[in-house]
PDB file of all heavy atoms in Angstrom:
ATOM      1  N   ALA A  14     -11.459  -2.066  -0.980  1.00 97.00           N
ATOM      2  CA  ALA A  14     -11.828  -1.287   0.216  1.00 97.00           C
ATOM      3  C   ALA A  14     -11.362   0.144   0.002  1.00 97.00           C
ATOM      4  O   ALA A  14     -10.167   0.445   0.089  1.00 97.00           O
ATOM      5  CB  ALA A  14     -11.185  -1.877   1.448  1.00 97.00           C
ATOM      6  N   TRP A  16     -11.352   2.961   1.561  1.00 95.00           N
ATOM      7  CA  TRP A  16     -10.778   3.772   2.583  1.00 95.00           C
ATOM      8  C   TRP A  16      -9.271   3.413   2.941  1.00 95.00           C
ATOM      9  O   TRP A  16      -8.605   4.180   3.602  1.00 95.00           O
ATOM     10  CB  TRP A  16     -11.590   3.664   3.926  1.00 95.00           C
ATOM     11  CG  TRP A  16     -11.505   2.252   4.515  1.00 95.00           C
ATOM     12  CD1 TRP A  16     -10.636   1.785   5.458  1.00 95.00           C
ATOM     13  CD2 TRP A  16     -12.336   1.176   4.169  1.00 95.00           C
ATOM     14  NE1 TRP A  16     -10.900   0.486   5.766  1.00 95.00           N
ATOM     15  CE2 TRP A  16     -11.976   0.077   4.997  1.00 95.00           C
ATOM     16  CE3 TRP A  16     -13.466   0.995   3.336  1.00 95.00           C
ATOM     17  CZ2 TRP A  16     -12.590  -1.186   4.966  1.00 95.00           C
ATOM     18  CZ3 TRP A  16     -14.067  -0.254   3.279  1.00 95.00           C
ATOM     19  CH2 TRP A  16     -13.649  -1.307   4.096  1.00 95.00           C
ATOM     20  N   GLU A  17      -8.830   2.295   2.422  1.00 98.00           N
ATOM     21  CA  GLU A  17      -7.542   1.787   2.872  1.00 98.00           C
ATOM     22  C   GLU A  17      -6.320   2.425   2.229  1.00 98.00           C
ATOM     23  O   GLU A  17      -5.242   2.412   2.823  1.00 98.00           O
ATOM     24  CB  GLU A  17      -7.518   0.259   2.663  1.00 98.00           C
ATOM     25  CG  GLU A  17      -8.452  -0.454   3.597  1.00 98.00           C
ATOM     26  CD  GLU A  17      -8.475  -1.952   3.365  1.00 98.00           C
ATOM     27  OE1 GLU A  17      -7.956  -2.452   2.311  1.00 98.00           O
ATOM     28  OE2 GLU A  17      -8.981  -2.651   4.262  1.00 98.00           O
ATOM     29  N   LEU A  76      -1.456  -2.625  -3.103  1.00 98.00           N
ATOM     30  CA  LEU A  76      -2.547  -3.639  -3.164  1.00 98.00           C
ATOM     31  C   LEU A  76      -3.515  -3.399  -2.013  1.00 98.00           C
ATOM     32  O   LEU A  76      -3.193  -3.707  -0.859  1.00 98.00           O
ATOM     33  CB  LEU A  76      -1.969  -5.041  -3.056  1.00 98.00           C
ATOM     34  CG  LEU A  76      -0.907  -5.460  -4.098  1.00 98.00           C
ATOM     35  CD1 LEU A  76      -0.316  -6.806  -3.751  1.00 98.00           C
ATOM     36  CD2 LEU A  76      -1.540  -5.448  -5.513  1.00 98.00           C
ATOM     37  N   PRO A  77      -4.722  -2.882  -2.312  1.00 98.00           N
ATOM     38  CA  PRO A  77      -5.729  -2.673  -1.266  1.00 98.00           C
ATOM     39  C   PRO A  77      -6.448  -3.996  -0.936  1.00 98.00           C
ATOM     40  O   PRO A  77      -6.384  -4.965  -1.685  1.00 98.00           O
ATOM     41  CB  PRO A  77      -6.700  -1.666  -1.872  1.00 98.00           C
ATOM     42  CG  PRO A  77      -6.580  -1.950  -3.361  1.00 98.00           C
ATOM     43  CD  PRO A  77      -5.161  -2.373  -3.648  1.00 98.00           C
ATOM     44  N   GLY A  78      -7.087  -3.977   0.200  1.00 98.00           N
ATOM     45  CA  GLY A  78      -7.914  -5.098   0.538  1.00 98.00           C
ATOM     46  C   GLY A  78      -9.168  -5.175  -0.338  1.00 98.00           C
ATOM     47  O   GLY A  78      -9.532  -4.207  -1.038  1.00 98.00           O
ATOM     48  N   ALA A  79      -9.817  -6.308  -0.312  1.00 98.00           N
ATOM     49  CA  ALA A  79     -11.085  -6.504  -1.095  1.00 98.00           C
ATOM     50  C   ALA A  79     -11.671  -7.824  -0.626  1.00 98.00           C
ATOM     51  O   ALA A  79     -10.955  -8.724  -0.238  1.00 98.00           O
ATOM     52  CB  ALA A  79     -10.776  -6.554  -2.575  1.00 98.00           C
ATOM     53  N   TRP A  82     -10.214 -11.091  -2.138  1.00 97.00           N
ATOM     54  CA  TRP A  82      -9.014 -11.760  -1.669  1.00 97.00           C
ATOM     55  C   TRP A  82      -9.385 -12.998  -0.825  1.00 97.00           C
ATOM     56  O   TRP A  82      -8.635 -13.978  -0.784  1.00 97.00           O
ATOM     57  CB  TRP A  82      -8.193 -10.825  -0.807  1.00 97.00           C
ATOM     58  CG  TRP A  82      -7.364  -9.829  -1.529  1.00 97.00           C
ATOM     59  CD1 TRP A  82      -7.538  -8.479  -1.555  1.00 97.00           C
ATOM     60  CD2 TRP A  82      -6.223 -10.102  -2.391  1.00 97.00           C
ATOM     61  NE1 TRP A  82      -6.599  -7.848  -2.316  1.00 97.00           N
ATOM     62  CE2 TRP A  82      -5.797  -8.817  -2.848  1.00 97.00           C
ATOM     63  CE3 TRP A  82      -5.578 -11.218  -2.803  1.00 97.00           C
ATOM     64  CZ2 TRP A  82      -4.695  -8.698  -3.738  1.00 97.00           C
ATOM     65  CZ3 TRP A  82      -4.477 -11.094  -3.648  1.00 97.00           C
ATOM     66  CH2 TRP A  82      -4.074  -9.872  -4.121  1.00 97.00           C
ATOM     67  N   ALA A 107       0.899  -3.717   0.871  1.00 98.00           N
ATOM     68  CA  ALA A 107      -0.368  -4.508   0.908  1.00 98.00           C
ATOM     69  C   ALA A 107      -1.048  -4.277   2.218  1.00 98.00           C
ATOM     70  O   ALA A 107      -0.439  -4.278   3.293  1.00 98.00           O
ATOM     71  CB  ALA A 107      -0.015  -6.000   0.717  1.00 98.00           C
ATOM     72  N   ILE A 108      -2.355  -4.097   2.156  1.00 98.00           N
ATOM     73  CA  ILE A 108      -3.153  -3.831   3.307  1.00 98.00           C
ATOM     74  C   ILE A 108      -4.363  -4.758   3.380  1.00 98.00           C
ATOM     75  O   ILE A 108      -4.887  -5.158   2.322  1.00 98.00           O
ATOM     76  CB  ILE A 108      -3.589  -2.353   3.402  1.00 98.00           C
ATOM     77  CG1 ILE A 108      -4.301  -2.005   4.732  1.00 98.00           C
ATOM     78  CG2 ILE A 108      -4.429  -1.949   2.193  1.00 98.00           C
ATOM     79  CD1 ILE A 108      -4.532  -0.507   4.951  1.00 98.00           C
ATOM     80  N   CYS A 109      -4.753  -5.147   4.592  1.00 98.00           N
ATOM     81  CA  CYS A 109      -5.974  -5.953   4.813  1.00 98.00           C
ATOM     82  C   CYS A 109      -5.905  -7.265   3.995  1.00 98.00           C
ATOM     83  O   CYS A 109      -4.968  -8.009   4.117  1.00 98.00           O
ATOM     84  CB  CYS A 109      -7.185  -5.098   4.409  1.00 98.00           C
ATOM     85  SG  CYS A 109      -8.778  -5.808   4.875  1.00 98.00           S
ATOM     86  N   GLY A 110      -6.927  -7.536   3.209  1.00 97.00           N
ATOM     87  CA  GLY A 110      -7.013  -8.810   2.526  1.00 97.00           C
ATOM     88  C   GLY A 110      -5.882  -9.084   1.573  1.00 97.00           C
ATOM     89  O   GLY A 110      -5.544 -10.239   1.246  1.00 97.00           O
ATOM     90  N   ALA A 111      -5.237  -8.022   1.109  1.00 98.00           N
ATOM     91  CA  ALA A 111      -4.105  -8.202   0.190  1.00 98.00           C
ATOM     92  C   ALA A 111      -2.952  -8.891   0.903  1.00 98.00           C
ATOM     93  O   ALA A 111      -2.183  -9.653   0.266  1.00 98.00           O
ATOM     94  CB  ALA A 111      -3.628  -6.878  -0.393  1.00 98.00           C
ATOM     95  N   THR A 112      -2.872  -8.739   2.227  1.00 98.00           N
ATOM     96  CA  THR A 112      -1.830  -9.480   2.943  1.00 98.00           C
ATOM     97  C   THR A 112      -2.066 -10.964   2.877  1.00 98.00           C
ATOM     98  O   THR A 112      -1.129 -11.776   2.852  1.00 98.00           O
ATOM     99  CB  THR A 112      -1.714  -9.011   4.412  1.00 98.00           C
ATOM    100  OG1 THR A 112      -2.942  -9.332   5.121  1.00 98.00           O
ATOM    101  CG2 THR A 112      -1.405  -7.542   4.509  1.00 98.00           C
ATOM    102  N   ALA A 113      -3.343 -11.378   2.852  1.00 98.00           N
ATOM    103  CA  ALA A 113      -3.658 -12.818   2.691  1.00 98.00           C
ATOM    104  C   ALA A 113      -3.250 -13.300   1.376  1.00 98.00           C
ATOM    105  O   ALA A 113      -2.722 -14.468   1.242  1.00 98.00           O
ATOM    106  CB  ALA A 113      -5.173 -13.028   2.876  1.00 98.00           C
ATOM    107  N   GLY A 114      -3.398 -12.490   0.304  1.00 97.00           N
ATOM    108  CA  GLY A 114      -2.937 -12.883  -0.997  1.00 97.00           C
ATOM    109  C   GLY A 114      -1.450 -13.118  -1.035  1.00 97.00           C
ATOM    110  O   GLY A 114      -0.950 -14.087  -1.645  1.00 97.00           O
ATOM    111  N   THR A 127       2.638  -7.569   9.049  1.00 98.00           N
ATOM    112  CA  THR A 127       1.468  -7.566   9.913  1.00 98.00           C
ATOM    113  C   THR A 127       0.218  -7.728   9.049  1.00 98.00           C
ATOM    114  O   THR A 127       0.304  -7.834   7.820  1.00 98.00           O
ATOM    115  CB  THR A 127       1.415  -6.310  10.785  1.00 98.00           C
ATOM    116  OG1 THR A 127       0.411  -6.478  11.825  1.00 98.00           O
ATOM    117  CG2 THR A 127       1.089  -5.064   9.982  1.00 98.00           C
ATOM    118  N   SER A 128      -0.922  -7.750   9.686  1.00 98.00           N
ATOM    119  CA  SER A 128      -2.230  -7.836   8.988  1.00 98.00           C
ATOM    120  C   SER A 128      -3.292  -7.505  10.023  1.00 98.00           C
ATOM    121  O   SER A 128      -2.998  -6.895  11.042  1.00 98.00           O
ATOM    122  CB  SER A 128      -2.393  -9.271   8.438  1.00 98.00           C
ATOM    123  OG  SER A 128      -3.581  -9.361   7.715  1.00 98.00           O
ATOM    124  N   GLY A 129      -4.503  -7.957   9.793  1.00 97.00           N
ATOM    125  CA  GLY A 129      -5.568  -7.751  10.796  1.00 97.00           C
ATOM    126  C   GLY A 129      -5.323  -8.542  12.066  1.00 97.00           C
ATOM    127  O   GLY A 129      -5.568  -8.047  13.198  1.00 97.00           O
ATOM    128  N   TYR A 133      -5.751 -14.676  11.035  1.00 97.00           N
ATOM    129  CA  TYR A 133      -6.285 -14.500   9.675  1.00 97.00           C
ATOM    130  C   TYR A 133      -5.326 -15.050   8.660  1.00 97.00           C
ATOM    131  O   TYR A 133      -5.689 -15.768   7.703  1.00 97.00           O
ATOM    132  CB  TYR A 133      -6.529 -13.006   9.452  1.00 97.00           C
ATOM    133  CG  TYR A 133      -6.913 -12.633   8.029  1.00 97.00           C
ATOM    134  CD1 TYR A 133      -8.040 -13.156   7.412  1.00 97.00           C
ATOM    135  CD2 TYR A 133      -6.110 -11.727   7.295  1.00 97.00           C
ATOM    136  CE1 TYR A 133      -8.401 -12.798   6.139  1.00 97.00           C
ATOM    137  CE2 TYR A 133      -6.442 -11.384   6.002  1.00 97.00           C
ATOM    138  CZ  TYR A 133      -7.577 -11.899   5.430  1.00 97.00           C
ATOM    139  OH  TYR A 133      -7.908 -11.534   4.145  1.00 97.00           O
ATOM    140  N   LEU A 134      -4.045 -14.774   8.873  1.00 98.00           N
ATOM    141  CA  LEU A 134      -3.046 -15.237   7.893  1.00 98.00           C
ATOM    142  C   LEU A 134      -2.805 -16.757   8.080  1.00 98.00           C
ATOM    143  O   LEU A 134      -2.583 -17.465   7.080  1.00 98.00           O
ATOM    144  CB  LEU A 134      -1.714 -14.501   8.087  1.00 98.00           C
ATOM    145  CG  LEU A 134      -1.778 -12.996   7.811  1.00 98.00           C
ATOM    146  CD1 LEU A 134      -0.374 -12.393   7.984  1.00 98.00           C
ATOM    147  CD2 LEU A 134      -2.277 -12.737   6.352  1.00 98.00           C
ATOM    148  N   THR A 159       3.212  -3.689   5.051  1.00 98.00           N
ATOM    149  CA  THR A 159       1.956  -4.332   5.292  1.00 98.00           C
ATOM    150  C   THR A 159       1.223  -3.611   6.422  1.00 98.00           C
ATOM    151  O   THR A 159       1.834  -2.970   7.286  1.00 98.00           O
ATOM    152  CB  THR A 159       2.162  -5.821   5.719  1.00 98.00           C
ATOM    153  OG1 THR A 159       3.154  -5.897   6.763  1.00 98.00           O
ATOM    154  CG2 THR A 159       2.637  -6.660   4.511  1.00 98.00           C
ATOM    155  N   ALA A 160      -0.109  -3.772   6.436  1.00 98.00           N
ATOM    156  CA  ALA A 160      -0.908  -3.158   7.463  1.00 98.00           C
ATOM    157  C   ALA A 160      -2.294  -3.882   7.517  1.00 98.00           C
ATOM    158  O   ALA A 160      -2.681  -4.536   6.541  1.00 98.00           O
ATOM    159  CB  ALA A 160      -1.151  -1.662   7.222  1.00 98.00           C
ATOM    160  N   GLY A 161      -2.940  -3.721   8.650  1.00 97.00           N
ATOM    161  CA  GLY A 161      -4.283  -4.286   8.771  1.00 97.00           C
ATOM    162  C   GLY A 161      -5.336  -3.271   8.316  1.00 97.00           C
ATOM    163  O   GLY A 161      -5.047  -2.127   8.046  1.00 97.00           O
ATOM    164  N   PRO A 162      -6.609  -3.690   8.286  1.00 96.00           N
ATOM    165  CA  PRO A 162      -7.693  -2.857   7.692  1.00 96.00           C
ATOM    166  C   PRO A 162      -8.000  -1.632   8.489  1.00 96.00           C
ATOM    167  O   PRO A 162      -8.601  -0.715   7.911  1.00 96.00           O
ATOM    168  CB  PRO A 162      -8.893  -3.824   7.651  1.00 96.00           C
ATOM    169  CG  PRO A 162      -8.591  -4.812   8.768  1.00 96.00           C
ATOM    170  CD  PRO A 162      -7.124  -4.999   8.749  1.00 96.00           C
ATOM    171  N   THR A 163      -7.631  -1.545   9.764  1.00 97.00           N
ATOM    172  CA  THR A 163      -7.945  -0.353  10.570  1.00 97.00           C
ATOM    173  C   THR A 163      -6.834   0.665  10.596  1.00 97.00           C
ATOM    174  O   THR A 163      -6.923   1.626  11.353  1.00 97.00           O
ATOM    175  CB  THR A 163      -8.234  -0.795  12.022  1.00 97.00           C
ATOM    176  OG1 THR A 163      -7.091  -1.424  12.566  1.00 97.00           O
ATOM    177  CG2 THR A 163      -9.409  -1.753  12.061  1.00 97.00           C
TER     178      THR A 163
END
Side-chain angles (χ1 to χ4, degrees):
W16 66 92
E17 292 178 344
L76 301 174
W82 284 113
I108 186 169
C109 189
T112 63
T127 193
S128 183
Y133 172 61
L134 296 181
T159 51
T163 62

